[in-house]
Amino acid sequence: MLLLVYYVIAITVLVLHFTGWLRYHNLEWLVLVLAVTVFPAVLYL
């Protein structure tokens, strides 16, 4: 269930990033937070 919530948040952040909404509202750092949360999973695999 938590993985599904994580995927929904990740997809939403990416869509908002590519549409420019995050840059307009100065929330570009959310993409970096998303990348940092993915990094430990990449190391684990």
Side-chain angles (χ1 to χ4, degrees):
M1 185 66 185
L2 286 175
L3 190 61
L4 179 65
V5 172
Y6 180 78
Y7 280 166
V8 169
I9 292 171
I11 290 169
T12 304
V13 167
L14 287 176
V15 167
L16 292 175
H17 167 69
F18 286 117
T19 58
W21 191 88
L22 291 179
R23 182 176 298 265
Y24 180 74
H25 294 285
N26 293 325
L27 294 173
E28 254 329 284
W29 56 270
L30 286 176
V31 177
L32 296 175
V33 170
L34 182 66
V36 168
T37 60
V38 170
F39 188 70
V42 172
L43 287 179
Y44 179 73
L45 294 175

mmCIF file of all heavy atoms in Angstrom:
data_model
loop_
_atom_site.group_PDB
_atom_site.id
_atom_site.type_symbol
_atom_site.label_atom_id
_atom_site.label_comp_id
_atom_site.label_asym_id
_atom_site.label_seq_id
_atom_site.Cartn_x
_atom_site.Cartn_y
_atom_site.Cartn_z
ATOM 1 N N MET A 1 0.822 -1.197 0.000
ATOM 2 C CA MET A 1 0.000 0.000 0.000
ATOM 3 C C MET A 1 0.868 1.264 0.000
ATOM 4 O O MET A 1 0.576 2.209 -0.730
ATOM 5 C CB MET A 1 -0.918 -0.044 1.230
ATOM 6 C CG MET A 1 -1.909 1.069 1.283
ATOM 7 S SD MET A 1 -3.065 0.897 -0.063
ATOM 8 C CE MET A 1 -4.005 2.359 0.108
ATOM 9 N N LEU A 2 1.920 1.252 0.819
ATOM 10 C CA LEU A 2 2.811 2.413 0.859
ATOM 11 C C LEU A 2 3.542 2.605 -0.474
ATOM 12 O O LEU A 2 3.792 3.741 -0.880
ATOM 13 C CB LEU A 2 3.830 2.265 1.984
ATOM 14 C CG LEU A 2 3.284 2.464 3.393
ATOM 15 C CD1 LEU A 2 4.366 2.178 4.427
ATOM 16 C CD2 LEU A 2 2.756 3.864 3.567
ATOM 17 N N LEU A 3 3.857 1.501 -1.123
ATOM 18 C CA LEU A 3 4.516 1.600 -2.428
ATOM 19 C C LEU A 3 3.601 2.260 -3.448
ATOM 20 O O LEU A 3 4.057 3.077 -4.256
ATOM 21 C CB LEU A 3 4.933 0.213 -2.901
ATOM 22 C CG LEU A 3 5.837 0.162 -4.122
ATOM 23 C CD1 LEU A 3 7.151 0.878 -3.842
ATOM 24 C CD2 LEU A 3 6.085 -1.272 -4.530
ATOM 25 N N LEU A 4 2.329 1.943 -3.401
ATOM 26 C CA LEU A 4 1.364 2.561 -4.307
ATOM 27 C C LEU A 4 1.264 4.062 -4.056
ATOM 28 O O LEU A 4 1.258 4.859 -4.999
ATOM 29 C CB LEU A 4 -0.009 1.906 -4.136
ATOM 30 C CG LEU A 4 -1.128 2.454 -5.007
ATOM 31 C CD1 LEU A 4 -0.837 2.194 -6.468
ATOM 32 C CD2 LEU A 4 -2.448 1.847 -4.598
ATOM 33 N N VAL A 5 1.225 4.460 -2.797
ATOM 34 C CA VAL A 5 1.177 5.886 -2.447
ATOM 35 C C VAL A 5 2.447 6.583 -2.926
ATOM 36 O O VAL A 5 2.394 7.687 -3.475
ATOM 37 C CB VAL A 5 0.987 6.067 -0.922
ATOM 38 C CG1 VAL A 5 1.131 7.526 -0.519
ATOM 39 C CG2 VAL A 5 -0.355 5.524 -0.506
ATOM 40 N N TYR A 6 3.594 5.918 -2.749
ATOM 41 C CA TYR A 6 4.864 6.489 -3.204
ATOM 42 C C TYR A 6 4.859 6.693 -4.717
ATOM 43 O O TYR A 6 5.298 7.730 -5.209
ATOM 44 C CB TYR A 6 6.021 5.582 -2.794
ATOM 45 C CG TYR A 6 7.360 6.105 -3.224
ATOM 46 C CD1 TYR A 6 7.976 7.121 -2.517
ATOM 47 C CD2 TYR A 6 8.001 5.597 -4.346
ATOM 48 C CE1 TYR A 6 9.204 7.627 -2.900
ATOM 49 C CE2 TYR A 6 9.226 6.093 -4.745
ATOM 50 C CZ TYR A 6 9.816 7.101 -4.019
ATOM 51 O OH TYR A 6 11.016 7.599 -4.413
ATOM 52 N N TYR A 7 4.362 5.706 -5.462
ATOM 53 C CA TYR A 7 4.303 5.828 -6.920
ATOM 54 C C TYR A 7 3.393 6.961 -7.354
ATOM 55 O O TYR A 7 3.718 7.700 -8.286
ATOM 56 C CB TYR A 7 3.822 4.521 -7.550
ATOM 57 C CG TYR A 7 4.892 3.468 -7.679
ATOM 58 C CD1 TYR A 7 4.545 2.147 -7.948
ATOM 59 C CD2 TYR A 7 6.237 3.766 -7.535
ATOM 60 C CE1 TYR A 7 5.508 1.170 -8.080
ATOM 61 C CE2 TYR A 7 7.204 2.802 -7.658
ATOM 62 C CZ TYR A 7 6.829 1.498 -7.944
ATOM 63 O OH TYR A 7 7.784 0.536 -8.072
ATOM 64 N N VAL A 8 2.266 7.117 -6.689
ATOM 65 C CA VAL A 8 1.339 8.200 -7.042
ATOM 66 C C VAL A 8 2.001 9.558 -6.797
ATOM 67 O O VAL A 8 1.910 10.466 -7.634
ATOM 68 C CB VAL A 8 0.019 8.061 -6.255
ATOM 69 C CG1 VAL A 8 -0.839 9.300 -6.403
ATOM 70 C CG2 VAL A 8 -0.738 6.825 -6.719
ATOM 71 N N ILE A 9 2.681 9.696 -5.666
ATOM 72 C CA ILE A 9 3.368 10.957 -5.367
ATOM 73 C C ILE A 9 4.488 11.198 -6.372
ATOM 74 O O ILE A 9 4.655 12.316 -6.879
ATOM 75 C CB ILE A 9 3.911 10.946 -3.925
ATOM 76 C CG1 ILE A 9 2.741 10.978 -2.936
ATOM 77 C CG2 ILE A 9 4.852 12.110 -3.676
ATOM 78 C CD1 ILE A 9 3.145 10.758 -1.500
ATOM 79 N N ALA A 10 5.254 10.165 -6.700
ATOM 80 C CA ALA A 10 6.368 10.311 -7.639
ATOM 81 C C ALA A 10 5.875 10.715 -9.025
ATOM 82 O O ALA A 10 6.444 11.613 -9.659
ATOM 83 C CB ALA A 10 7.151 9.003 -7.715
ATOM 84 N N ILE A 11 4.837 10.086 -9.503
ATOM 85 C CA ILE A 11 4.296 10.417 -10.822
ATOM 86 C C ILE A 11 3.738 11.834 -10.831
ATOM 87 O O ILE A 11 3.941 12.592 -11.784
ATOM 88 C CB ILE A 11 3.231 9.387 -11.239
ATOM 89 C CG1 ILE A 11 3.908 8.054 -11.527
ATOM 90 C CG2 ILE A 11 2.451 9.862 -12.450
ATOM 91 C CD1 ILE A 11 2.952 6.896 -11.700
ATOM 92 N N THR A 12 3.078 12.221 -9.751
ATOM 93 C CA THR A 12 2.544 13.588 -9.661
ATOM 94 C C THR A 12 3.661 14.619 -9.687
ATOM 95 O O THR A 12 3.569 15.625 -10.401
ATOM 96 C CB THR A 12 1.715 13.738 -8.371
ATOM 97 O OG1 THR A 12 0.691 12.750 -8.358
ATOM 98 C CG2 THR A 12 1.094 15.110 -8.296
ATOM 99 N N VAL A 13 4.731 14.374 -8.928
ATOM 100 C CA VAL A 13 5.856 15.316 -8.906
ATOM 101 C C VAL A 13 6.496 15.404 -10.288
ATOM 102 O O VAL A 13 6.826 16.497 -10.755
ATOM 103 C CB VAL A 13 6.889 14.902 -7.830
ATOM 104 C CG1 VAL A 13 8.191 15.666 -7.996
ATOM 105 C CG2 VAL A 13 6.317 15.135 -6.447
ATOM 106 N N LEU A 14 6.658 14.277 -10.962
ATOM 107 C CA LEU A 14 7.273 14.313 -12.288
ATOM 108 C C LEU A 14 6.406 15.035 -13.307
ATOM 109 O O LEU A 14 6.905 15.805 -14.126
ATOM 110 C CB LEU A 14 7.570 12.888 -12.759
ATOM 111 C CG LEU A 14 8.735 12.209 -12.050
ATOM 112 C CD1 LEU A 14 8.874 10.772 -12.519
ATOM 113 C CD2 LEU A 14 10.015 12.970 -12.284
ATOM 114 N N VAL A 15 5.109 14.823 -13.261
ATOM 115 C CA VAL A 15 4.214 15.518 -14.190
ATOM 116 C C VAL A 15 4.254 17.014 -13.932
ATOM 117 O O VAL A 15 4.349 17.821 -14.873
ATOM 118 C CB VAL A 15 2.774 14.966 -14.072
ATOM 119 C CG1 VAL A 15 1.786 15.864 -14.777
ATOM 120 C CG2 VAL A 15 2.702 13.559 -14.631
ATOM 121 N N LEU A 16 4.216 17.408 -12.663
ATOM 122 C CA LEU A 16 4.276 18.831 -12.336
ATOM 123 C C LEU A 16 5.628 19.436 -12.722
ATOM 124 O O LEU A 16 5.701 20.602 -13.108
ATOM 125 C CB LEU A 16 3.998 19.050 -10.849
ATOM 126 C CG LEU A 16 2.574 18.737 -10.392
ATOM 127 C CD1 LEU A 16 2.465 18.871 -8.885
ATOM 128 C CD2 LEU A 16 1.560 19.605 -11.096
ATOM 129 N N HIS A 17 6.679 18.645 -12.633
ATOM 130 C CA HIS A 17 8.002 19.122 -13.029
ATOM 131 C C HIS A 17 8.046 19.402 -14.534
ATOM 132 O O HIS A 17 8.513 20.450 -14.974
ATOM 133 C CB HIS A 17 9.059 18.087 -12.656
ATOM 134 C CG HIS A 17 10.391 18.330 -13.270
ATOM 135 N ND1 HIS A 17 11.191 19.380 -12.912
ATOM 136 C CD2 HIS A 17 11.062 17.666 -14.237
ATOM 137 C CE1 HIS A 17 12.305 19.339 -13.621
ATOM 138 N NE2 HIS A 17 12.244 18.309 -14.443
ATOM 139 N N PHE A 18 7.558 18.450 -15.335
ATOM 140 C CA PHE A 18 7.647 18.598 -16.780
ATOM 141 C C PHE A 18 6.659 19.618 -17.339
ATOM 142 O O PHE A 18 6.855 20.113 -18.445
ATOM 143 C CB PHE A 18 7.478 17.246 -17.469
ATOM 144 C CG PHE A 18 8.693 16.366 -17.323
ATOM 145 C CD1 PHE A 18 8.615 15.159 -16.652
ATOM 146 C CD2 PHE A 18 9.909 16.761 -17.841
ATOM 147 C CE1 PHE A 18 9.723 14.361 -16.511
ATOM 148 C CE2 PHE A 18 11.037 15.973 -17.700
ATOM 149 C CZ PHE A 18 10.943 14.763 -17.039
ATOM 150 N N THR A 19 5.610 19.930 -16.592
ATOM 151 C CA THR A 19 4.689 20.973 -17.055
ATOM 152 C C THR A 19 5.147 22.364 -16.635
ATOM 153 O O THR A 19 4.603 23.350 -17.108
ATOM 154 C CB THR A 19 3.271 20.736 -16.509
ATOM 155 O OG1 THR A 19 3.314 20.705 -15.091
ATOM 156 C CG2 THR A 19 2.674 19.451 -17.056
ATOM 157 N N GLY A 20 6.143 22.438 -15.742
ATOM 158 C CA GLY A 20 6.662 23.733 -15.317
ATOM 159 C C GLY A 20 5.977 24.294 -14.087
ATOM 160 O O GLY A 20 6.313 25.384 -13.626
ATOM 161 N N TRP A 21 5.037 23.579 -13.531
ATOM 162 C CA TRP A 21 4.296 24.060 -12.366
ATOM 163 C C TRP A 21 5.205 24.211 -11.148
ATOM 164 O O TRP A 21 5.077 25.165 -10.382
ATOM 165 C CB TRP A 21 3.147 23.101 -12.061
ATOM 166 C CG TRP A 21 2.174 23.635 -11.064
ATOM 167 C CD1 TRP A 21 1.093 24.399 -11.310
ATOM 168 C CD2 TRP A 21 2.215 23.437 -9.634
ATOM 169 N NE1 TRP A 21 0.445 24.689 -10.138
ATOM 170 C CE2 TRP A 21 1.111 24.115 -9.090
ATOM 171 C CE3 TRP A 21 3.068 22.745 -8.779
ATOM 172 C CZ2 TRP A 21 0.849 24.117 -7.731
ATOM 173 C CZ3 TRP A 21 2.807 22.761 -7.426
ATOM 174 C CH2 TRP A 21 1.705 23.445 -6.914
ATOM 175 N N LEU A 22 6.125 23.253 -10.972
ATOM 176 C CA LEU A 22 7.022 23.309 -9.805
ATOM 177 C C LEU A 22 7.944 24.520 -9.875
ATOM 178 O O LEU A 22 8.188 25.188 -8.871
ATOM 179 C CB LEU A 22 7.856 22.029 -9.712
ATOM 180 C CG LEU A 22 7.096 20.756 -9.359
ATOM 181 C CD1 LEU A 22 8.051 19.583 -9.332
ATOM 182 C CD2 LEU A 22 6.372 20.883 -8.047
ATOM 183 N N ARG A 23 8.465 24.822 -11.056
ATOM 184 C CA ARG A 23 9.363 25.967 -11.197
ATOM 185 C C ARG A 23 8.606 27.268 -10.955
ATOM 186 O O ARG A 23 9.123 28.191 -10.326
ATOM 187 C CB ARG A 23 9.990 25.987 -12.589
ATOM 188 C CG ARG A 23 10.965 27.123 -12.787
ATOM 189 C CD ARG A 23 11.634 27.052 -14.133
ATOM 190 N NE ARG A 23 12.421 25.840 -14.267
ATOM 191 C CZ ARG A 23 13.725 25.780 -14.022
ATOM 192 N NH1 ARG A 23 14.360 26.853 -13.656
ATOM 193 N NH2 ARG A 23 14.371 24.652 -14.153
ATOM 194 N N TYR A 24 7.385 27.327 -11.415
ATOM 195 C CA TYR A 24 6.579 28.535 -11.243
ATOM 196 C C TYR A 24 6.320 28.822 -9.769
ATOM 197 O O TYR A 24 6.290 29.964 -9.342
ATOM 198 C CB TYR A 24 5.256 28.384 -12.004
ATOM 199 C CG TYR A 24 4.349 29.580 -11.899
ATOM 200 C CD1 TYR A 24 4.626 30.744 -12.601
ATOM 201 C CD2 TYR A 24 3.227 29.544 -11.079
ATOM 202 C CE1 TYR A 24 3.806 31.854 -12.500
ATOM 203 C CE2 TYR A 24 2.390 30.644 -10.969
ATOM 204 C CZ TYR A 24 2.682 31.794 -11.682
ATOM 205 O OH TYR A 24 1.867 32.878 -11.568
ATOM 206 N N HIS A 25 6.142 27.766 -8.979
ATOM 207 C CA HIS A 25 5.841 27.918 -7.547
ATOM 208 C C HIS A 25 7.060 27.698 -6.652
ATOM 209 O O HIS A 25 6.910 27.507 -5.435
ATOM 210 C CB HIS A 25 4.728 26.944 -7.144
ATOM 211 C CG HIS A 25 3.419 27.262 -7.791
ATOM 212 N ND1 HIS A 25 2.633 28.312 -7.398
ATOM 213 C CD2 HIS A 25 2.764 26.681 -8.814
ATOM 214 C CE1 HIS A 25 1.543 28.363 -8.132
ATOM 215 N NE2 HIS A 25 1.602 27.383 -9.017
ATOM 216 N N ASN A 26 8.259 27.692 -7.247
ATOM 217 C CA ASN A 26 9.521 27.497 -6.506
ATOM 218 C C ASN A 26 9.528 26.210 -5.682
ATOM 219 O O ASN A 26 9.970 26.188 -4.529
ATOM 220 C CB ASN A 26 9.827 28.701 -5.610
ATOM 221 C CG ASN A 26 10.130 29.938 -6.407
ATOM 222 O OD1 ASN A 26 10.725 29.847 -7.475
ATOM 223 N ND2 ASN A 26 9.722 31.088 -5.907
ATOM 224 N N LEU A 27 9.050 25.135 -6.265
ATOM 225 C CA LEU A 27 9.046 23.846 -5.576
ATOM 226 C C LEU A 27 9.900 22.814 -6.318
ATOM 227 O O LEU A 27 9.675 21.616 -6.200
ATOM 228 C CB LEU A 27 7.601 23.322 -5.460
ATOM 229 C CG LEU A 27 6.677 24.141 -4.577
ATOM 230 C CD1 LEU A 27 5.255 23.630 -4.686
ATOM 231 C CD2 LEU A 27 7.133 24.107 -3.138
ATOM 232 N N GLU A 28 10.893 23.265 -7.076
ATOM 233 C CA GLU A 28 11.759 22.365 -7.836
ATOM 234 C C GLU A 28 12.496 21.403 -6.912
ATOM 235 O O GLU A 28 12.899 20.334 -7.336
ATOM 236 C CB GLU A 28 12.798 23.178 -8.581
ATOM 237 C CG GLU A 28 12.693 23.378 -10.071
ATOM 238 C CD GLU A 28 12.066 22.317 -10.926
ATOM 239 O OE1 GLU A 28 12.682 21.280 -11.194
ATOM 240 O OE2 GLU A 28 10.954 22.529 -11.364
ATOM 241 N N TRP A 29 12.683 21.773 -5.661
ATOM 242 C CA TRP A 29 13.411 20.915 -4.722
ATOM 243 C C TRP A 29 12.685 19.595 -4.476
ATOM 244 O O TRP A 29 13.302 18.627 -4.030
ATOM 245 C CB TRP A 29 13.646 21.652 -3.406
ATOM 246 C CG TRP A 29 12.390 22.169 -2.767
ATOM 247 C CD1 TRP A 29 11.818 23.384 -2.971
ATOM 248 C CD2 TRP A 29 11.542 21.470 -1.848
ATOM 249 N NE1 TRP A 29 10.676 23.487 -2.226
ATOM 250 C CE2 TRP A 29 10.477 22.323 -1.531
ATOM 251 C CE3 TRP A 29 11.591 20.208 -1.269
ATOM 252 C CZ2 TRP A 29 9.467 21.936 -0.659
ATOM 253 C CZ3 TRP A 29 10.587 19.828 -0.400
ATOM 254 C CH2 TRP A 29 9.532 20.696 -0.110
ATOM 255 N N LEU A 30 11.405 19.527 -4.792
ATOM 256 C CA LEU A 30 10.678 18.265 -4.617
ATOM 257 C C LEU A 30 11.238 17.165 -5.516
ATOM 258 O O LEU A 30 11.221 15.994 -5.144
ATOM 259 C CB LEU A 30 9.187 18.466 -4.906
ATOM 260 C CG LEU A 30 8.396 19.216 -3.849
ATOM 261 C CD1 LEU A 30 6.964 19.429 -4.318
ATOM 262 C CD2 LEU A 30 8.413 18.462 -2.538
ATOM 263 N N VAL A 31 11.744 17.543 -6.679
ATOM 264 C CA VAL A 31 12.352 16.553 -7.572
ATOM 265 C C VAL A 31 13.616 15.984 -6.925
ATOM 266 O O VAL A 31 13.865 14.774 -7.001
ATOM 267 C CB VAL A 31 12.663 17.178 -8.947
ATOM 268 C CG1 VAL A 31 13.348 16.181 -9.858
ATOM 269 C CG2 VAL A 31 11.405 17.716 -9.595
ATOM 270 N N LEU A 32 14.386 16.829 -6.266
ATOM 271 C CA LEU A 32 15.591 16.353 -5.584
ATOM 272 C C LEU A 32 15.243 15.450 -4.397
ATOM 273 O O LEU A 32 15.902 14.446 -4.161
ATOM 274 C CB LEU A 32 16.433 17.539 -5.120
ATOM 275 C CG LEU A 32 16.991 18.418 -6.236
ATOM 276 C CD1 LEU A 32 17.691 19.628 -5.644
ATOM 277 C CD2 LEU A 32 17.924 17.627 -7.108
ATOM 278 N N VAL A 33 14.205 15.809 -3.667
ATOM 279 C CA VAL A 33 13.763 14.966 -2.550
ATOM 280 C C VAL A 33 13.325 13.599 -3.068
ATOM 281 O O VAL A 33 13.648 12.563 -2.480
ATOM 282 C CB VAL A 33 12.627 15.664 -1.766
ATOM 283 C CG1 VAL A 33 11.981 14.721 -0.772
ATOM 284 C CG2 VAL A 33 13.146 16.911 -1.081
ATOM 285 N N LEU A 34 12.615 13.600 -4.174
ATOM 286 C CA LEU A 34 12.183 12.342 -4.778
ATOM 287 C C LEU A 34 13.388 11.495 -5.193
ATOM 288 O O LEU A 34 13.409 10.286 -4.956
ATOM 289 C CB LEU A 34 11.292 12.641 -5.986
ATOM 290 C CG LEU A 34 10.705 11.448 -6.716
ATOM 291 C CD1 LEU A 34 9.731 10.722 -5.801
ATOM 292 C CD2 LEU A 34 10.009 11.901 -7.977
ATOM 293 N N ALA A 35 14.403 12.129 -5.772
ATOM 294 C CA ALA A 35 15.600 11.402 -6.181
ATOM 295 C C ALA A 35 16.344 10.819 -4.982
ATOM 296 O O ALA A 35 16.839 9.685 -5.041
ATOM 297 C CB ALA A 35 16.520 12.330 -6.970
ATOM 298 N N VAL A 36 16.402 11.563 -3.893
ATOM 299 C CA VAL A 36 17.087 11.068 -2.692
ATOM 300 C C VAL A 36 16.343 9.879 -2.087
ATOM 301 O O VAL A 36 16.960 8.944 -1.586
ATOM 302 C CB VAL A 36 17.240 12.213 -1.663
ATOM 303 C CG1 VAL A 36 17.661 11.699 -0.303
ATOM 304 C CG2 VAL A 36 18.230 13.232 -2.178
ATOM 305 N N THR A 37 15.028 9.881 -2.155
ATOM 306 C CA THR A 37 14.274 8.760 -1.598
ATOM 307 C C THR A 37 14.393 7.511 -2.459
ATOM 308 O O THR A 37 14.251 6.399 -1.961
ATOM 309 C CB THR A 37 12.783 9.115 -1.426
ATOM 310 O OG1 THR A 37 12.226 9.451 -2.700
ATOM 311 C CG2 THR A 37 12.605 10.261 -0.457
ATOM 312 N N VAL A 38 14.676 7.672 -3.745
ATOM 313 C CA VAL A 38 14.843 6.509 -4.629
ATOM 314 C C VAL A 38 16.237 5.909 -4.474
ATOM 315 O O VAL A 38 16.415 4.709 -4.630
ATOM 316 C CB VAL A 38 14.589 6.924 -6.097
ATOM 317 C CG1 VAL A 38 14.992 5.831 -7.060
ATOM 318 C CG2 VAL A 38 13.130 7.282 -6.286
ATOM 319 N N PHE A 39 17.213 6.718 -4.134
ATOM 320 C CA PHE A 39 18.610 6.276 -4.094
ATOM 321 C C PHE A 39 18.843 5.054 -3.196
ATOM 322 O O PHE A 39 19.513 4.111 -3.625
ATOM 323 C CB PHE A 39 19.501 7.440 -3.681
ATOM 324 C CG PHE A 39 20.963 7.142 -3.799
ATOM 325 C CD1 PHE A 39 21.562 7.014 -5.040
ATOM 326 C CD2 PHE A 39 21.742 6.979 -2.662
ATOM 327 C CE1 PHE A 39 22.904 6.739 -5.150
ATOM 328 C CE2 PHE A 39 23.081 6.695 -2.770
ATOM 329 C CZ PHE A 39 23.668 6.578 -4.012
ATOM 330 N N PRO A 40 18.337 4.987 -1.965
ATOM 331 C CA PRO A 40 18.570 3.786 -1.138
ATOM 332 C C PRO A 40 17.974 2.518 -1.757
ATOM 333 O O PRO A 40 18.562 1.434 -1.631
ATOM 334 C CB PRO A 40 17.877 4.111 0.187
ATOM 335 C CG PRO A 40 17.804 5.586 0.227
ATOM 336 C CD PRO A 40 17.670 6.025 -1.196
ATOM 337 N N ALA A 41 16.862 2.631 -2.444
ATOM 338 C CA ALA A 41 16.270 1.454 -3.081
ATOM 339 C C ALA A 41 17.160 0.954 -4.216
ATOM 340 O O ALA A 41 17.295 -0.258 -4.434
ATOM 341 C CB ALA A 41 14.881 1.797 -3.612
ATOM 342 N N VAL A 42 17.802 1.868 -4.924
ATOM 343 C CA VAL A 42 18.706 1.482 -6.003
ATOM 344 C C VAL A 42 19.922 0.761 -5.426
ATOM 345 O O VAL A 42 20.387 -0.234 -5.979
ATOM 346 C CB VAL A 42 19.118 2.710 -6.823
ATOM 347 C CG1 VAL A 42 20.211 2.375 -7.830
ATOM 348 C CG2 VAL A 42 17.917 3.314 -7.528
ATOM 349 N N LEU A 43 20.426 1.239 -4.298
ATOM 350 C CA LEU A 43 21.552 0.578 -3.653
ATOM 351 C C LEU A 43 21.159 -0.804 -3.125
ATOM 352 O O LEU A 43 21.952 -1.744 -3.172
ATOM 353 C CB LEU A 43 22.088 1.435 -2.505
ATOM 354 C CG LEU A 43 22.869 2.679 -2.891
ATOM 355 C CD1 LEU A 43 23.303 3.415 -1.630
ATOM 356 C CD2 LEU A 43 24.068 2.326 -3.734
ATOM 357 N N TYR A 44 19.951 -0.928 -2.633
ATOM 358 C CA TYR A 44 19.497 -2.203 -2.078
ATOM 359 C C TYR A 44 19.364 -3.267 -3.163
ATOM 360 O O TYR A 44 19.679 -4.421 -2.959
ATOM 361 C CB TYR A 44 18.153 -1.990 -1.362
ATOM 362 C CG TYR A 44 17.587 -3.255 -0.768
ATOM 363 C CD1 TYR A 44 18.151 -3.817 0.370
ATOM 364 C CD2 TYR A 44 16.502 -3.898 -1.359
ATOM 365 C CE1 TYR A 44 17.638 -4.973 0.924
ATOM 366 C CE2 TYR A 44 15.977 -5.047 -0.813
ATOM 367 C CZ TYR A 44 16.553 -5.595 0.315
ATOM 368 O OH TYR A 44 16.053 -6.739 0.841
ATOM 369 N N LEU A 45 18.897 -2.858 -4.330
ATOM 370 C CA LEU A 45 18.713 -3.824 -5.428
ATOM 371 C C LEU A 45 20.059 -4.171 -6.015
ATOM 372 O O LEU A 45 20.315 -5.183 -6.510
ATOM 373 C CB LEU A 45 17.790 -3.236 -6.500
ATOM 374 C CG LEU A 45 16.358 -3.005 -6.048
ATOM 375 C CD1 LEU A 45 15.583 -2.310 -7.161
ATOM 376 C CD2 LEU A 45 15.687 -4.307 -5.682
#
